[in-house]
Amino acid sequence: MDILILVLILVGAANMLHNIIVYIIFMSKMRDVISGGVKRDTVLMYIGLILIIFFLGGYIYVGFFANPHLVTAFIMFFGSLFVSLVLLLMIQLIKTSKERSLEIAQILISVIDARGSLQGHSLHVKNLMMVFLKHLPRYMKTEFSPVSIEFAALLHDIGNLGVPEEILEKNGDLTPEEWEKMRTHPQVGVRLLRPVKSFDYISDWILYHHERIDGNGYYFKKGDSIPLPSKMLAIADAYSAMVLGRVYNPPKTHSEALEELKKEAGTQFDEELVEIFISIPEKEVTACIPEEVQY
């Protein structure tokens, strides 16, 4: 009987240790545009971590220094399973919430893109960014979450709502006044997203997605002062614009678009990121074009 009691408590303790590891990983993935940004929630999560560690200490104490009964052992064993179940449900609910939020954002952005020749562009950029992210070196991936990248890509051109359609669809050179209006769309986008506090996490990525490495972009940031996701967006945005085409610019082939990126590497685009992008298998890149895009 004593062996059964010890086994139940030790298995419960091992499971509780596993719960702590799962919880810490879960906490690390909560820093994104859906989960993060609320200080109260962060405090509560750290309190939860402290409590789980405290319970683990209780298991160790009872197992090695107390004289527990069989009922106590069963309560502690099933208690650890209960914590596992709660964690599983919590993780699943957060995952579902992120997926539904992203689906709603995709629908709204598709409606915005349908204003003109931008149809499918934002979804295309989002798909490209996720493939791009997959092929980044590991050290580049640790700074941001995939969910945040998805939202930044989907919403990067939401500021076009503040640009008259005749400017967006103009078949010819923009006048200086029209060009100034066009340059405001990243600022307008950030302003539209400001009421959602957690979107502050990605606001700079959207604001600077038209910056150039040589400093001749919309707001004259250059080199390493440009956020990495903004540099990635610049490449994905340009590639999408080239292969989907515009009223003023007929579509290019995949190879032609890559050649244009190579030409601008080191001046408009980050040279290392261009190398990574062009190394992605063509099949993966071309599969990013949304089904609803009409040619």
Side-chain angles (χ1 to χ4, degrees):
M1 186 68 72
D2 289 344
I3 294 176
L4 176 60
I5 291 172
L6 183 60
V7 168
L8 286 172
I9 292 175
L10 290 179
V11 171
N15 189 50
M16 194 61 77
L17 178 60
H18 176 262
N19 290 338
I20 290 172
I21 294 170
V22 170
Y23 191 79
I24 291 172
I25 294 172
F26 172 69
M27 288 178 64
S28 70
K29 293 182 177 179
M30 292 290 282
R31 295 191 295 270
D32 57 48
V33 295
I34 298 300
S35 314
V38 182
K39 187 178 294 185
R40 180 195 62 193
D41 292 348
T42 303
V43 171
L44 289 174
M45 292 200 68
Y46 276 105
I47 292 174
L49 177 61
I50 291 169
L51 288 174
I52 297 178
I53 294 173
F54 174 78
F55 286 138
L56 176 61
Y59 279 75
I60 295 171
Y61 174 78
V62 171
F64 291 99
F65 302 105
N67 187 25
H69 297 289
L70 183 61
V71 174
T72 304
F74 271 111
I75 290 173
M76 297 185 75
F77 173 74
F78 285 109
S80 72
L81 294 182
F82 175 74
V83 174
S84 297
L85 179 61
V86 170
L87 278 175
L88 182 63
L89 288 172
M90 184 170 62
I91 292 169
Q92 189 59 46
L93 284 172
I94 292 293
K95 180 182 177 183
T96 301
S97 173
K98 291 179 181 182
E99 290 174 350
R100 296 296 173 269
S101 298
L102 196 59
E103 288 169 0
I104 292 169
Q106 287 181 184
I107 293 170
L108 293 175
I109 293 301
S110 295
V111 172
I112 294 171
D113 281 359
R115 292 172 68 202
S117 63
L118 294 173
Q119 184 177 3
H121 169 68
S122 295
L123 183 54
H124 187 212
V125 172
K126 189 269 288 187
N127 293 342
L128 289 169
M129 286 289 281
M130 299 316 293
V131 170
F132 204 167
L133 181 63
K134 186 178 86 171
H135 287 269
L136 285 184
R138 183 176 293 275
Y139 76 91
M140 288 187 179
K141 298 180 183 181
T142 58
E143 299 179 28
F144 38 76
S145 73
V147 173
S148 297
I149 288 290
E150 286 186 273
F151 272 94
L154 270 178
L155 301 170
H156 77 283
D157 270 346
I158 193 172
N160 282 340
L161 286 171
V163 180
E165 193 167 337
E166 58 268 22
I167 295 178
L168 291 174
E169 298 298 308
K170 186 174 181 179
N171 189 4
D173 294 335
L174 299 179
T175 66
E177 293 77 15
E178 290 171 334
W179 181 240
E180 283 303 311
K181 188 70 174 176
M182 190 66 186
R183 286 163 64 101
T184 66
H185 84 265
Q187 293 174 320
V188 173
V190 169
R191 193 159 59 244
L192 288 172
L193 297 174
R194 192 168 293 152
V196 185
K197 197 63 181 173
S198 61
F199 278 0
D200 290 349
Y201 186 69
I202 62 172
S203 60
D204 280 355
W205 304 354
I206 293 172
L207 182 62
Y208 299 126
H209 77 274
H210 277 296
E211 298 312 291
R212 296 171 53 104
I213 297 301
D214 60 12
N216 293 318
Y218 280 17
Y219 308 122
F220 308 109
K221 276 190 169 288
K222 63 185 296 186
D224 291 337
S225 67
I226 306 170
L228 178 62
S230 299
K231 297 177 186 178
M232 294 170 62
L233 270 172
I235 293 170
D237 188 29
Y239 175 86
S240 176
M242 286 188 281
V243 299
L244 296 187
R246 293 287 186 268
V247 291
Y248 51 84
N249 193 13
K252 296 182 183 296
T253 65
H254 173 72
S255 299
E256 290 170 339
L258 293 190
E259 284 302 316
E260 290 297 321
L261 292 178
K262 288 179 188 177
K263 287 179 186 176
E264 298 298 329
T267 53
Q268 181 175 353
F269 307 115
D270 182 277
E271 198 165 4
E272 182 180 6
L273 289 177
V274 168
E275 286 297 322
I276 294 170
F277 188 83
I278 65 177
S279 71
I280 301 172
E282 180 178 351
K283 185 178 180 180
E284 289 187 49
V285 177
T286 54
C288 291
I289 298 177
E291 293 180 4
E292 64 266 30
V293 171
Q294 302 295 320
Y295 290 100

